[in-house]
Amino acid sequence: MTRKIITLIAALFATAVFANDNAILTKIKTANTQIKSIESAFKETKVLKVNGKKVEKSGTFYFVAPSKLAMHYSEPAGEKVVINGNEMLVSSKGKKRTFNTEKNSRMHSLATILLCAIHGEIEQLCEAVSATSAATEKGDSYVVTVNATKKSSKGYSKIEITYAKADGLIRQMVMTENSGDITTYTLSGAVKNKAIADSQFSTAKK
């Protein structure tokens, strides 16, 4: 087989893969236009590279499209992460901090990743954090892998997001930091399009 034929086959294969990726991403995005809100139990598991220690947390997750997100932890009780437009609240270990995500690049990146991933906006996510994506089918799920093209000591090298084929609902997100730490968020018992009180998205420190 000549080099020219091999190159042509490789190009055709790459084109087919790209087309398939785009088709899956379109299905995910289209399905998510029908999801206006999500309320779900969630579990968070973080594995530290330095010592292999596993830290597990859990609570209730809330989302209202396009820019409201809250994770209220029951374990450990009182902790929370809230995104409401450009405002962000992080309550952890007895300390509450608020951020304007337009003025804090790290928090802006995190907020963008979370909001875009949850609502199936993969193209927007990749543009915002300098990344590429690949998508595939796995059983009753679509799996999207986002790989960073730029490295930062505080950024993410890879994000893997799993969506239900049936309705595009996010099921799981695995975030690998450049440090090697890996955090997995898993949703269960999700309810779509339920009215959620604005108070769940309060970023007040009180």
Side-chain angles (χ1 to χ4, degrees):
M1 188 178 292
T2 67
R3 184 181 297 275
K4 184 179 290 186
I5 294 174
I6 293 173
T7 301
L8 178 59
I9 291 174
L12 290 172
F13 178 75
T15 300
V17 170
F18 180 75
N20 185 60
D21 284 355
N22 279 347
I24 291 174
L25 296 183
T26 297
K27 288 178 181 179
I28 294 169
K29 183 176 181 178
T30 301
N32 271 278
T33 62
Q34 304 301 313
I35 300 176
K36 308 304 179 184
S37 70
I38 303 169
E39 181 176 331
S40 174
F42 80 93
K43 181 178 180 180
E44 174 188 322
T45 303
K46 184 166 187 173
V47 179
L48 305 178
K49 182 180 180 181
V50 66
N51 55 14
K53 182 179 179 181
K54 183 184 293 185
V55 180
E56 296 185 337
K57 300 181 180 183
S58 59
T60 305
F61 169 88
Y62 303 95
F63 170 74
V64 171
S67 60
K68 293 182 180 180
L69 177 152
M71 291 185 287
H72 294 264
Y73 293 81
S74 54
E75 181 59 43
E79 292 197 0
K80 66 174 69 174
V81 175
V82 179
I83 300 170
N84 192 334
N86 295 333
E87 297 178 348
M88 187 170 184
L89 168 71
V90 178
S91 177
S92 178
K93 298 179 181 178
K95 295 182 180 180
K96 294 183 178 181
R97 294 172 291 166
T98 56
F99 306 89
N100 181 330
T101 57
E102 293 300 310
K103 297 179 180 180
N104 186 303
S105 60
R106 184 182 181 189
M107 291 305 177
H108 177 75
S109 177
L110 177 58
T112 299
I113 290 170
L114 292 173
L115 291 170
C116 288
I118 290 159
H119 214 218
E121 295 282 356
I122 303 302
E123 184 178 355
Q124 183 179 337
L125 190 163
C126 290
E127 289 177 356
V129 300
S130 299
T132 59
S133 67
T136 188
E137 298 183 39
K138 187 176 182 180
D140 63 353
S141 300
Y142 294 124
V143 180
V144 178
T145 303
V146 176
N147 291 296
T149 56
K150 293 182 180 179
K151 284 197 173 182
S152 156
S153 61
K154 297 180 180 179
Y156 298 93
S157 59
K158 184 173 76 171
I159 303 167
E160 187 176 272
I161 314 160
T162 302
Y163 300 91
K165 275 186 183 180
D167 57 7
L169 186 69
I170 187 169
R171 288 177 165 173
Q172 186 178 77
M173 179 161 63
V174 182
M175 306 174 72
T176 302
E177 299 177 37
N178 286 317
S179 64
D181 293 349
I182 301 174
T183 304
T184 301
Y185 297 95
T186 304
L187 273 60
S188 61
V191 177
K192 300 179 295 180
N193 300 329
K194 173 184 177 181
I196 299 175
D198 285 342
S199 58
Q200 301 291 2
F201 304 102
S202 173
T203 56
K205 285 187 176 182
K206 294 181 181 180

